[in-house]
Amino acid sequence: MPFLYKPGLSDADIQGLEQRLQKKLPSDYKDFLKKRNGFYATAPDYVSLPLDKVDEGSIAFDRLFGLIPDEESNDLLAFNEEFIDELSFLDNSIAIGEDGGGNTFVWIAEAGKEGLYYWDRTHLHESDDKNDFDIAERDGCGNLFFLAPDFTSFFDLILSTFISPPDFVEE
């Protein structure tokens, strides 16, 4: 399965991104952005990630955001400017990717909750019998499910779903 990505960002690009977000990005995510400015799955257009906290035992993964202003669905700034306020009850939340259906992968830097979470924004798993979330929704924003302690572990989780390493193709 190929993953398409844009050329990496410079340190200045990343500093500008953090200034616009008014938040610090995790260092391992910054390293990723220097190498690949976001990426998305193609043919098929998603990957199944294991998550035993929902009935199906898995969730979809489609893309990691980058600084791509001309592609709003792939742009870190556009998504965060439009939606991240829904998680205003959590300190330093940054949406970094999506499942392709409106549910998001979020980095949370709040003490005691640090890590990467799957944010069930669309309430896809709300009626699941299992629905063993880690952070309860507030004001109808959707529950959050812990996935990994850091970006590197999350990226490794994505890669672990393949029998052979996926192809990364620069656009």
Side-chain angles (χ1 to χ4, degrees), residues 83-91 93 108 110-111 113 119-121 123 126 133-144:
F83 297 108
I84 205 65
D85 284 347
E86 295 174 27
L87 296 179
S88 62
F89 65 95
L90 295 168
D91 292 336
S93 303
I108 298 175
E110 181 175 318
K113 295 178 181 164
W119 176 19
D120 185 21
R121 282 190 66 250
H123 299 94
E126 183 176 67
F133 54 84
D134 295 285
I135 300 175
E137 71 176 345
R138 290 195 193 165
D139 300 321
C141 72
N143 296 318
L144 292 104

Side-chain angles (χ1 to χ4, degrees), residues 5 19 26-27 51 67 98 106 129 133 144 153 168:
Y5 69 94
Q19 287 174 346
S27 59
L51 182 60
L67 181 59
E98 189 193 38
V106 178
D129 289 335
F133 54 84
L144 292 104
S153 298
F168 291 98

Side-chain angles (χ1 to χ4, degrees), residues 16 29 39-40 47 51 62 66 78 95 99 105 110 112 124 128 133 135 140 158 169:
Y29 183 58
F39 75 77
Y40 61 95
V47 175
L51 182 60
D62 178 59
D99 69 354
F105 300 99
E110 181 175 318
L124 179 65
D128 286 3
F133 54 84
I135 300 175
I158 295 166
V169 179

